[in-house]
């Protein structure tokens, strides 16, 4: 008689997740989620039953923010070497602007839909605290990251990237969210002071964008599109365009009762005179960037955290179009807002599903265990060809050209490829956003 041992099913193994490779680019998940709620609530027409969905998405964005702030605090405590390496990398450091925008995006969503859960008073208090914190971090990033790019990072002629816009666009998000808090302040000096602070941040961000955007366009024309996994970052250009249109529309809404006559009328006229051309340029860039994404997809564009660039920038165009629709009451602008919102929801669903799948498989944040020191420079591959895992920034590369000075990349910028075969020498570095 043969005895057969019972088959005991093996328990499912949950992938270990380490916070060591967790970079500041992960705050883009918060931004992309919160903007779904804010943009939906701001659409120029009511959608039956959608309010409940907006509240659920806002709650999810708030939970993501809390989780990421805690994880990043642990990252700085236990993996400070990698955190400093992020600041030393010119392709990763600009993502520190995402922390400010995540705080501001959740604050804006709290003003838009959080009242349904928290009540008006609590929602305004939470949104105000997030606005103050996000504005402070945003101004620090807007000044500190360009300072690092100028003094610590070695920038080659082909290194201009849309991620450079992230720290300087953070004050524009403050300018767009802040007007919603103006009516909550006492009439008089307090309201006018907040309105003027938002207006000043609008100018700061707009002028900084006008300085950086020509560099990005010149790099595309001179060196061609970036590597396929980095092509989604081109959508980041939509951020300052849509957000500036939103900011001016919101400033025009808050101007009556805040500014003396005739300034409210002038602000409303300025919002239209600026917003319509800016939105037109944004639509042109959306078509151009979309065509380059299709081209990259046909060449095997892999999933990376850069896909979250499809969410928040598009959401700012939704809020911008909705703001113009409120000012003009034109049907084409209302339909444009709804069309862009459908694109936003689709992009958020795809990016969110791929991110959850990557976390479940352990490919985005692979298990790490104890902190490991960075490999020596002699064992490192050249910065121009070094590849990283999804969601992980490369370890710092020491440079012999500048001695032991931290934050410099090794060697001079490589010469451009005369054949222009779809990527530049600089964008061949898959450093940004953790690209495979």
């Amino acid at each position: 008689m043969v005895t057969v041992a019972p088959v005991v099913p093996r328990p499912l193994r949950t992938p270990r997740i380490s916070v060591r490779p967790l970079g500041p680019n992960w705050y883009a998940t918060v931004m992309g989620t919160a903007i779904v709620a804010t943009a939906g609530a701001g659409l120029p027409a009511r959608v039956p039953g959608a309010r409940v969905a907006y509240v659920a998405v806002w709650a999810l964005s708030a939970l993501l923010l809390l989780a990421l702030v805690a994880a990043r605090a642990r990252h700085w405590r236990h993996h400070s070497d990698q955190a400093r390496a992020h600041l030393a990398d010119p392709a990763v450091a600009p993502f520190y602007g995402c922390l400010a925008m995540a705080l501001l995006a959740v604050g804006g969503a709290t003003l838009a839909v959080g009242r349904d859960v928290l009540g008006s008073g609590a929602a305004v208090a939470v949104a105000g605290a997030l606005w103050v914190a996000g504005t402070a971090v945003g101004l620090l990033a807007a000044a500190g990251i360009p300072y690092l790019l100028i003094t610590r990072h070695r920038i080659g002629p082909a290194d201009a990237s849309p991620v450079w816009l992230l720290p300087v666009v953070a004050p524009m998000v403050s300018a767009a969210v802040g007007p919603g808090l103006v009516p909550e302040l006492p009439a008089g000096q307090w309201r006018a002071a907040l309105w003027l602070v938002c207006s000043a941040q609008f100018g700061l961000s707009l002028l900084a964008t006008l300085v950086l955007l020509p560099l990005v366009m010149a790099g595309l024309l001179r060196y061609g599109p970036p590597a396929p996994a980095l092509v989604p970052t081109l959508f980041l250009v939509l951020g300052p365009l849509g957000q500036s249109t939103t900011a001016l529309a919101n400033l025009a809404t808050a101007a009556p009762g805040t500014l003396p006559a005739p300034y409210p009328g002038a602000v409303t006229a300025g919002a239209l005179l600026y917003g319509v051309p800016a939105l037109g340029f944004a639509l042109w860039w959306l078509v151009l960037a979309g065509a380059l994404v299709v081209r990259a997809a046909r060449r095997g564009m892999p999933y990376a955290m850069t896909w979250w660039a499809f969410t928040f920038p598009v959401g700012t165009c939704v809020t911008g179009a909705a703001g113009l629709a409120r000012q003009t009451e034109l049907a084409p602008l209302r339909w444009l807002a709804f069309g862009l919102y459908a694109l936003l929801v689709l992009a958020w669903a795809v990016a969110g599903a791929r991110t959850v799948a990557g976390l479940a498989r352990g490919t985005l944040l692979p298990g790490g265990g104890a902190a490991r020191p960075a490999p020596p420079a002699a064992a490192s591959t050249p910065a121009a060809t070094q590849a990283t895992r999804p969601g992980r920034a490369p370890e710092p590369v020491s440079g012999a050209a500048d001695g032991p000075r931290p934050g410099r990349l090794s060697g001079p910028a490589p010469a451009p490829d005369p054949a222009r075969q779809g990527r530049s020498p600089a964008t061949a570095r898959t450093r940004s956003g953790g690209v495979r």
Side-chain angles (χ1 to χ4, degrees), residues 133-239:
T135 298
V137 175
L139 291 175
L140 180 62
I145 300 305
Y147 174 83
L148 290 178
L149 289 173
I150 294 170
T151 62
R152 288 298 193 91
H153 299 154
R154 169 167 294 171
I155 305 300
D159 283 342
S161 167
V163 289
W164 289 4
L165 298 172
L166 289 173
V168 299
V169 80
M172 189 68 79
V173 183
S174 292
V177 175
L181 295 169
V182 168
E184 308 298 335
L185 295 177
Q189 295 290 326
W190 285 101
R191 289 188 184 182
L194 179 56
W195 194 96
L196 290 175
V197 167
C198 294
S199 181
Q201 291 188 91
F202 167 84
L204 180 161
S205 183
L206 178 63
L207 294 177
T209 299
L210 293 178
V211 171
L212 295 175
L213 188 55
L215 300 178
V216 175
M217 191 62 186
L220 290 174
L221 294 174
R222 177 65 179 86
Y223 300 103
L230 299 180
V231 169
T233 61
L234 295 176
F235 272 65
L236 296 176
V237 175
L238 297 176

Side-chain angles (χ1 to χ4, degrees), residues 43-47 54 318 333-343:
L43 290 174
R46 299 282 183 178
V47 179
Y54 302 153
V318 176
L333 287 173
R334 291 197 295 268
W335 285 111
L336 177 62
F338 276 101
L340 290 173
Y341 187 72
L343 179 62

Side-chain angles (χ1 to χ4, degrees), residues 372-436:
R372 299 183 302 274
S380 300
T381 56
T385 59
Q386 184 179 14
T388 64
R389 297 177 183 174
R392 180 165 187 163
E395 298 290 340
V397 180
S398 300
D402 298 290
R405 184 177 183 181
R408 292 257 181 189
L409 298 179
S410 60
D417 180 8
R420 290 189 56 174
Q421 298 177 353
R423 64 165 60 182
S424 70
T427 53
R429 310 172 196 166
T430 55
R431 301 171 301 180
S432 175
V435 178
R436 183 181 297 275

Side-chain angles (χ1 to χ4, degrees), residues 39 66 69 115 173 196 214 328:
L66 292 174
V69 168
R115 302 172 189 261
V173 183
L196 290 175
T328 62

Side-chain angles (χ1 to χ4, degrees), residues 257-366:
T258 301
L259 301 180
Y263 297 111
V267 175
T268 301
L272 294 178
L273 293 176
Y274 170 85
V276 173
L279 190 59
F281 182 80
L283 293 176
W284 172 78
W285 189 272
L286 177 63
V287 173
L288 175 62
L292 291 173
V293 166
V294 171
R295 176 181 180 271
R298 296 175 64 181
R299 300 187 177 199
M301 181 179 69
Y303 171 73
M305 289 298 292
T306 53
W307 283 32
W308 281 95
F310 296 139
T311 57
F312 188 79
V314 174
T316 65
C317 294
V318 176
T319 55
L324 291 179
R326 288 193 301 270
Q327 297 289 337
T328 62
E329 298 183 355
L330 292 177
L333 287 173
R334 291 197 295 268
W335 285 111
L336 177 62
F338 276 101
L340 290 173
Y341 187 72
L343 179 62
L344 167 64
V345 172
L346 176 62
W348 175 73
V350 172
R354 296 297 296 269
T355 301
V356 171
L359 287 173
R361 290 193 301 264
T363 56
L364 286 180
L365 292 177

